[in-house]
Amino acid sequence: MTQDDIATTEAPRTRRAQAKVERRRALIEATIDSIADSGLSGTTVARVTEIAGTSIGLANFHFENKERLFEAVLQHLADTERAIWQERLAQSAATPADRLMALIDARFDPRVCNSRTLAVWFAFWGDAGARSIYRRMVEPTDDARLAAIIAAIESLTAAPDAPLRDAGKTALGLEAFYDGLWLNMLLYPEDFQRIACRQRAIEHLVALFPQQFDALQAGATPLARGAD
C-alpha cells in the first residue's frame, strides 16, 4: 500500500471520528440547554434530541440512557471549569496572593459563570436524586480546586505578619461565599452581575487578609474575559 492509499483510507476515518465527536458534543450542549430551561425533571432524551436535531436512536447509541447523558454533561462542565482555573493559575505570578486572585478570576470567568451554566449546576445541587451523580462525576474537580485554594492560603499565612487562620476552614468558607454569589446571580440577575460579584469576592478576600492584599491593586486585576 502506497502513502497515497494510506492517506485516502485515513481521511474518511478521521472525518467519521470527528463527526462522532461533534454529534456527541451537540447532544451534551442540547442537554445543557434543556436543563437550563426546564430543569432535570423536564429534560428527556426526546427533548434533547429535538433540540439537537438528532434521533433518539443516535442519542441512545452515544449515551445508552438519560443518566449517562447527565454524567456526560457534568463531566463536560467539570472539565471546562478545571481547565479554566488551571489556565488562570498558569498565567498568574508565583505569589500566593496572585494564585488566590487567579482562582477568583476562574470562578467568575464568563465561560463558567453565566446563567445557563449556573442553572445546570444548581439543578443538580437541588435535586436529591441527582446529587449522587454529581458527587461521582464532579467531586474530583471540586477536591482539586479546594486543594489549590488551601495550598495558596497556607503559603499566604506563612508570612510573619499574616493572621492566624485554619487554611482548610478558610478555603471552605471562600467556596461557600462564591457559591452564594453564584446563587444570587441566578436568582437576582439584575442585582448580582458577574463583574460586580467578582469584585465582592475580591473585597471579601482583602478583608480576610488585609496586610497581604492591596485593595486598590486587587480591584485593578484584569477582569475575566467577556462582559455581562
Side-chain angles (χ1 to χ4, degrees):
M1 181 178 290
T2 66
Q3 291 296 325
D4 288 343
D5 292 333
I6 294 173
T8 301
T9 303
E10 290 297 329
R13 290 178 181 174
T14 301
R15 287 196 294 270
R16 286 196 296 271
Q18 182 61 32
K20 183 177 180 180
V21 170
E22 290 174 356
R23 287 194 296 269
R24 188 177 189 278
R25 178 63 179 269
L27 287 165
I28 290 173
E29 294 292 343
T31 306
I32 292 173
D33 287 338
S34 178
I35 295 172
D37 289 340
S38 307
L40 295 181
S41 61
T43 296
T44 64
V45 174
R47 174 60 178 153
V48 168
T49 56
E50 179 184 357
I51 294 172
T54 60
S55 67
I56 292 178
L58 183 62
N60 290 334
F61 170 77
H62 283 284
F63 298 107
E64 298 181 15
N65 53 49
K66 189 168 75 170
E67 181 172 335
R68 295 291 180 269
L69 191 54
F70 284 173
E71 289 176 351
V73 165
L74 286 170
Q75 191 64 64
H76 168 68
L77 294 179
D79 289 346
T80 300
E81 185 175 325
R82 183 189 287 253
I84 289 170
W85 63 255
Q86 288 179 337
E87 169 193 303
R88 292 284 185 175
L89 284 175
Q91 293 172 348
S92 70
T95 68
D98 285 325
R99 291 200 297 274
L100 283 172
M101 286 298 305
L103 289 164
I104 286 179
D105 276 337
R107 287 301 296 268
F108 295 95
D109 186 295
R111 290 171 288 179
V112 294
C113 187
N114 57 74
S115 59
R116 177 175 177 261
T117 301
L118 296 183
V120 175
W121 283 130
F122 280 99
F124 280 97
W125 294 349
D127 189 298
R131 288 174 199 152
S132 61
I133 302 175
Y134 175 90
R135 287 192 296 269
R136 185 168 66 251
M137 304 307 298
V138 185
E139 189 172 16
T141 296
D142 285 346
D143 288 347
R145 186 183 63 247
L146 183 64
I149 296 172
I150 290 173
I153 292 173
E154 287 176 340
S155 297
L156 192 68
T157 55
D161 59 345
L164 294 176
R165 294 189 182 278
D166 182 297
K169 292 179 180 179
T170 303
L172 287 172
L174 289 173
E175 288 279 270
F177 185 77
Y178 304 152
D179 287 343
L181 289 173
W182 274 16
L183 179 58
N184 278 308
M185 288 178 62
L186 185 63
L187 294 177
Y188 310 106
E190 293 184 0
D191 297 324
F192 291 83
Q193 297 184 2
R194 181 181 64 83
I195 292 175
C197 285
R198 173 190 175 275
Q199 185 61 34
R200 291 185 188 191
I202 292 170
E203 291 168 356
H204 179 61
L205 196 59
V206 172
L208 287 175
F209 302 101
Q211 295 178 338
Q212 283 69 41
F213 286 89
D214 182 303
L216 293 178
Q217 289 181 356
T221 299
L223 293 172
R225 288 188 294 273
D228 291 300

